Amino acid sequence: MTATLTAISDTETRSLTEAELEQLGAQLDAIRDAVIADLGQRDADHIRGVVKLQRGLEVSGRILLMAGVLPPAWLGGVAALSVAKILDNMEIGHNVMHGQYDWMQDPALDSATFEWDTACPADQWRHSHNYVHHTFTNVLGKDRDVGYGILRMTDEQRWHRRDLGNPVYALALAALFQWGVALHDVELDRVMTGQKTKAEAQELLDGVWAKARTQVLKDYVLYPALAGPMAPVVVSGNLAANLIRNLWTFTIIFCGHFPDGVQTFTQEEADGEGRGGWYRRQLLGSANISGSPRLHLMTGHLSHQIEHHLFPDLPAHRYAEIADQVRAVCDEHGLPYNTGSLVEQFGSVVRRIGSLALPGREDEPVTSRLGQLVSRLNPLSR
């Protein structure tokens, strides 16, 4: 099958023949196989070192917050706890639940039983993210990460009046990102349209409530109670750390999925695509963020979103090592390798969110789209 791709932007991409797709699949499989054959002690040392670092930062942050009546202590506590929560969610939780360390046979790093420090139950995440998103990456109508059920993120999504609030919805989603992720698998929008029964949603909501209750009690009842008279300071510090984690996670995820050049696909285009076609879709539906090793660690190595979408079960710290090989394969087949700085990628995401609040295509002049908006909102035009 030779797919015709629909771009979020105007990017042109050459089609590949069946033989070329088969070659692409074999080349990328070879990269993956080489990493798997090389897995060993340094990979175990990496994840255990990050777990040790995360625990140390969390303990330090919570102790500093209990002494947070002094501004330097509060700021230090918020900084340490924010980094701890980011590492727990991104480099540890997200990657462990992808099965990246199952080969170690360490019960603490078992993808099937791992639970993380966020409101989304791990079992629901494994379904909505590991299965749905990674199987149907950027397939409209299948991958709910395209807009998260509330945002218009591509021209191919029909415009509605509610989309005028696109920037506001995005800001709210960023600030409350762990709660948006927690409700992701519930699919409240589909319940409202009758595509999903209330009973189905309620079962998932019960799981979210159980997990969310634990998170709220931990951050806003238990630790503040341990702080005694410093309880209000601890509450404010925990709120700040959760907000910082949410904003950072939203930024990294959106930079990996929605900057200029990333493409979306119809369900028909993805049907019967084969291994090479699936790899091609991952390459065209992802984007990287350039930066330092420290930045890569703080993103859970999702700054290499291209490599992650290709090889979600490989230890993420290996992505930087194979990035040049992946890029060389892309060059050989005339496929784009979308990468840029954090500022560049996030700037294009922000422009897209604002632009798609208006009707019409993103590449149309603003004046044309404003004219369409006036026409659609004017009752005399209907």
Side-chain angles (χ1 to χ4, degrees), residues 266-346:
T266 66
Q267 295 182 41
E268 291 75 20
E269 289 167 342
D271 287 343
E273 62 192 355
R275 183 67 170 170
W278 182 86
Y279 272 140
R280 184 173 185 266
R281 177 159 54 84
Q282 306 308 312
L283 287 166
L284 300 178
S286 317
N288 283 5
I289 304 168
S290 58
S292 67
R294 186 171 298 177
L295 173 71
H296 297 323
L297 177 66
M298 287 295 292
T299 68
H301 291 89
L302 293 180
S303 47
H304 287 92
Q305 190 69 240
I306 293 172
E307 287 72 23
H308 176 60
H309 274 164
L310 292 172
F311 314 117
D313 59 344
L314 293 185
H317 75 103
R318 294 285 197 125
Y319 294 152
E321 299 175 12
I322 61 175
D324 287 345
Q325 298 175 57
V326 172
R327 188 165 195 162
V329 171
C330 289
D331 290 343
E332 179 180 341
H333 292 280
L335 299 175
Y337 185 89
N338 189 335
T339 188
S341 71
L342 180 60
V343 172
E344 290 169 337
Q345 299 290 48
F346 192 61

Side-chain angles (χ1 to χ4, degrees), residues 49-105:
V50 175
V51 169
K52 183 178 180 180
L53 172 62
Q54 186 275 330
R55 289 175 178 171
L57 286 168
E58 181 171 4
V59 171
S60 299
R62 295 198 183 279
I63 290 174
L64 284 169
L65 285 177
M66 290 184 183
V69 69
L70 301 174
W74 188 87
L75 291 172
V78 169
L81 188 57
S82 298
V83 174
K85 285 178 174 287
I86 288 169
L87 289 175
D88 174 89
N89 284 187
M90 304 191 79
E91 181 66 15
I92 303 172
H94 171 268
N95 293 336
V96 167
M97 285 192 289
H98 265 298
Q100 294 179 7
Y101 298 98
D102 282 355
W103 57 272
M104 291 171 57
Q105 298 185 331

Side-chain angles (χ1 to χ4, degrees), residues 115-122 179 206-216:
E115 191 59 75
W116 53 352
D117 179 24
T118 190
C120 181
W179 303 103
D206 289 344
V208 172
W209 168 242
K211 181 66 190 297
R213 182 176 55 207
T214 300
Q215 293 298 114
V216 170

Side-chain angles (χ1 to χ4, degrees), residues 138-378:
N138 283 23
V139 177
L140 297 175
K142 287 282 191 177
D143 182 6
R144 290 180 53 79
D145 282 22
V146 181
Y148 284 79
I150 58 173
L151 298 176
R152 184 176 185 238
M153 293 304 301
T154 170
D155 298 325
E156 309 314 313
Q157 291 172 306
R158 183 180 176 185
W159 184 85
H160 299 87
R161 291 188 182 187
R162 65 174 180 268
D163 294 323
L164 290 171
N166 228 32
V168 176
Y169 308 150
L171 184 59
L173 179 61
L176 302 171
F177 198 59
Q178 72 161 325
W179 303 103
V181 171
L183 294 173
H184 197 34
D185 212 29
V186 178
E187 302 178 321
L188 292 175
D189 57 315
R190 296 186 69 225
V191 176
M192 294 174 65
T193 59
Q195 297 173 282
K196 190 171 189 174
T197 68
K198 292 182 179 180
E200 291 173 322
Q202 188 61 55
E203 182 178 353
L204 294 169
L205 280 171
D206 289 344
V208 172
W209 168 242
K211 181 66 190 297
R213 182 176 55 207
T214 300
Q215 293 298 114
V216 170
L217 289 174
K218 173 174 65 70
D219 276 346
Y220 304 119
V221 178
L222 175 60
Y223 283 113
L226 292 175
M230 297 300 297
V233 175
V234 172
V235 168
S236 67
N238 287 343
L239 275 170
N242 282 323
L243 175 62
I244 291 169
R245 182 270 314 279
N246 289 347
L247 293 174
W248 176 254
T249 307
F250 171 92
T251 298
I252 298 306
I253 290 176
F254 272 60
C255 283
H257 294 83
F258 305 118
D260 289 341
V262 173
Q263 302 181 8
T264 57
F265 312 83
T266 66
Q267 295 182 41
E268 291 75 20
E269 289 167 342
D271 287 343
E273 62 192 355
R275 183 67 170 170
W278 182 86
Y279 272 140
R280 184 173 185 266
R281 177 159 54 84
Q282 306 308 312
L283 287 166
L284 300 178
S286 317
N288 283 5
I289 304 168
S290 58
S292 67
R294 186 171 298 177
L295 173 71
H296 297 323
L297 177 66
M298 287 295 292
T299 68
H301 291 89
L302 293 180
S303 47
H304 287 92
Q305 190 69 240
I306 293 172
E307 287 72 23
H308 176 60
H309 274 164
L310 292 172
F311 314 117
D313 59 344
L314 293 185
H317 75 103
R318 294 285 197 125
Y319 294 152
E321 299 175 12
I322 61 175
D324 287 345
Q325 298 175 57
V326 172
R327 188 165 195 162
V329 171
C330 289
D331 290 343
E332 179 180 341
H333 292 280
L335 299 175
Y337 185 89
N338 189 335
T339 188
S341 71
L342 180 60
V343 172
E344 290 169 337
Q345 299 290 48
F346 192 61
S348 70
V349 168
V350 171
R351 287 194 301 273
R352 168 158 298 114
I353 290 171
S355 178
L356 290 172
L358 298 174
R361 298 188 63 84
E362 185 187 359
D363 56 1
E364 288 183 284
V366 173
T367 52
S368 173
R369 285 183 284 127
L370 286 173
Q372 293 183 55
L373 175 62
V374 171
S375 176
R376 295 190 186 200
L377 297 181
N378 183 0

